[in-house]
Amino acid sequence: MKKVKCYAPATVANVVCGYDILGFAIENPGDQVIVSFNHTHTTRITKIEGDEGKLPLDVKKNVVGHVVNLFLEKVKSRQGVDIELYKKMPLNSGLGSSAASSVAALVAINELFENPLTKGELLPLAMEGERLASGNAHADNVAPSLLGGLVLIRSYEPLDVIKLPFIKDLFVVSVHPDINVPTGEARKILKQQIPLQKAIEQWGNVAGLVSGFCTGDMDLVGRSMKDVIIEPIRSMLIPFFCEMKEIALENKAIGFGISGSGPSVFALCKNKDQADEISDRLYHLLNRHQIKSESQVTKMNNKGALII
Ligand code: HSE
């Protein structure tokens, strides 16, 4: 029986100032999904590993089952499909865990069907996975996980997704404190109205960040990694956020912020030594305060999801 296996990378959504409109993929970690046909005319999740038993096997409740069913509807197939999910990152981490699973499942099933859909057609299906996971169909994790690199969602209606230039020399530190911050909860606490002055600051920074990536101007990227709207609220959910930021910036990070909806935080660095130093210091800071964490240094990923 033919089986297809896909890897989809973790992502850093928002990139500090671009709430719901910017995200980039990282090399590690990433989820894997294996799909194969079955003879039952139903979709089944036959195996999940790496989730500590937390994810449902019910296809309607698990993003991989949900998006595979949406795919089958879209291609008008009644084919039965078995899905195996290998989680390689913590749930609710802020590293786009559900997005990586949805994207891996969709790219795998598309390959199994000999690619009837384009990546542009898979993207809205992956966004529905985000709706199931968090109550909102944002694309700033699924788009970079699918396409790789740094991605801008210029518009949601109609969907207009732009892959921005990739800077291959950047190192990414990610630190995941072992606390639970579900994305849905981290969205509910945000204010629905923002003062004009704050909006002006924010869109200046978004434009600066995009311009910095397009021209390779890392100092401009760093100056633009400021969030005056979301971070002041969400950082309250992350222990020692201000201390971590201070340490990262003192140790020459280009910028520092919350990864997606948290609790993971990330720093961008120009070289690996700086990144390793920051990774160590942040890990030890949390450790001194009895907070378990996982920290790692990786690079941006420009390939996105891949059949392996
Ligand atoms: N843009 C989303 C948020 C990403 O910040 O809620 C979730 O990982």
Side-chain angles (χ1 to χ4, degrees):
M1 179 76 77
K2 187 178 168 193
K3 283 190 171 194
V4 172
K5 183 175 186 179
C6 177
Y7 167 87
T11 43
V12 171
N14 302 336
V15 201
V16 180
C17 54
Y19 178 69
D20 278 359
I21 63 157
L22 284 171
F24 63 80
I26 55 179
E27 292 285 356
N28 280 303
D31 283 352
Q32 292 176 9
V33 170
I34 298 177
V35 291
S36 54
F37 292 137
N38 69 40
H39 300 295
T40 67
H41 293 297
T42 56
T43 303
R44 306 183 299 201
I45 299 173
T46 52
K47 190 180 199 180
I48 306 180
E49 275 184 13
D51 67 327
E52 297 171 347
K54 290 181 186 153
L55 289 174
L57 285 165
D58 182 340
V59 288
K60 293 201 176 93
K61 295 187 180 150
N62 188 314
V63 292
V64 292
H66 183 57
V67 299
V68 163
N69 278 342
L70 292 175
F71 173 92
L72 295 171
E73 259 172 46
K74 175 103 181 153
V75 299
K76 300 190 173 53
S77 170
R78 292 193 56 240
Q79 174 66 53
V81 176
D82 283 347
I83 309 169
E84 296 171 30
L85 169 60
Y86 298 87
K87 290 299 302 174
K88 306 281 179 177
M89 65 183 103
L91 313 178
N92 293 323
S93 56
L95 291 171
S97 175
S98 54
S101 297
S102 295
V103 167
L106 282 167
V107 172
I109 188 79
N110 198 36
E111 175 77 16
L112 192 66
F113 276 75
E114 298 179 350
N115 295 307
L117 301 187
T118 63
K119 284 188 175 176
E121 289 167 326
L122 293 178
L123 184 57
L125 307 184
M127 289 166 65
E128 289 306 317
E130 294 295 76
R131 194 193 303 283
L132 179 68
S134 73
N136 186 77
H138 48 275
D140 52 340
N141 292 114
V142 284
S145 185
L146 181 66
L147 305 172
L150 173 67
V151 176
L152 166 71
I153 296 97
R154 189 206 58 83
S155 155
Y156 274 88
E157 284 181 23
L159 193 58
D160 186 5
V161 171
I162 296 139
K163 197 168 163 178
L164 296 170
F166 175 67
I167 301 180
K168 69 176 186 348
D169 300 326
L170 277 182
F171 289 84
V172 184
V173 181
S174 75
V175 180
H176 173 236
D178 188 14
I179 56 167
N180 199 28
V181 178
T183 298
E185 300 301 315
R187 295 182 74 86
K188 275 188 209 143
I189 60 169
L190 301 177
K191 294 191 178 132
Q192 292 303 309
Q193 262 96 41
I194 50 174
L196 181 60
Q197 192 52 42
K198 294 255 181 267
I200 293 169
E201 277 183 65
Q202 196 84 356
W203 56 55
N205 283 322
V206 171
L209 191 82
V210 170
S211 170
F213 270 97
C214 288
T215 57
D217 182 341
M218 285 300 104
D219 295 326
L220 175 57
V221 168
R223 290 205 299 286
S224 307
M225 283 175 71
K226 289 209 183 83
D227 173 5
V228 295
I229 295 171
I230 311 295
E231 183 178 292
I233 300 172
R234 282 187 171 168
S235 58
M236 291 189 281
L237 302 175
I238 302 171
F240 305 102
F241 178 83
C242 295
E243 290 84 346
M244 288 195 279
K245 186 172 188 170
E246 211 173 294
I247 290 172
L249 297 179
E250 267 171 10
N251 285 277
K252 301 201 175 70
I254 296 166
F256 176 90
I258 303 171
S259 177
S261 56
S264 289
V265 293
F266 78 103
L268 289 185
C269 298
K270 281 183 195 163
N271 71 58
K272 185 159 182 329
D273 288 347
Q274 287 167 0
D276 285 337
E277 178 74 24
I278 291 169
S279 167
D280 272 7
R281 284 178 186 252
L282 298 187
Y283 174 82
H284 284 113
L285 170 82
L286 293 173
N287 200 33
R288 274 202 303 283
H289 293 282
Q290 279 85 47
I291 298 167
K292 277 198 265 164
S293 68
E294 278 169 40
S295 75
Q296 63 153 8
V297 172
T298 185
K299 295 195 87 177
M300 282 172 73
N301 163 321
N302 200 27
K303 296 196 180 111
L306 286 178
I307 300 297
I308 51 176

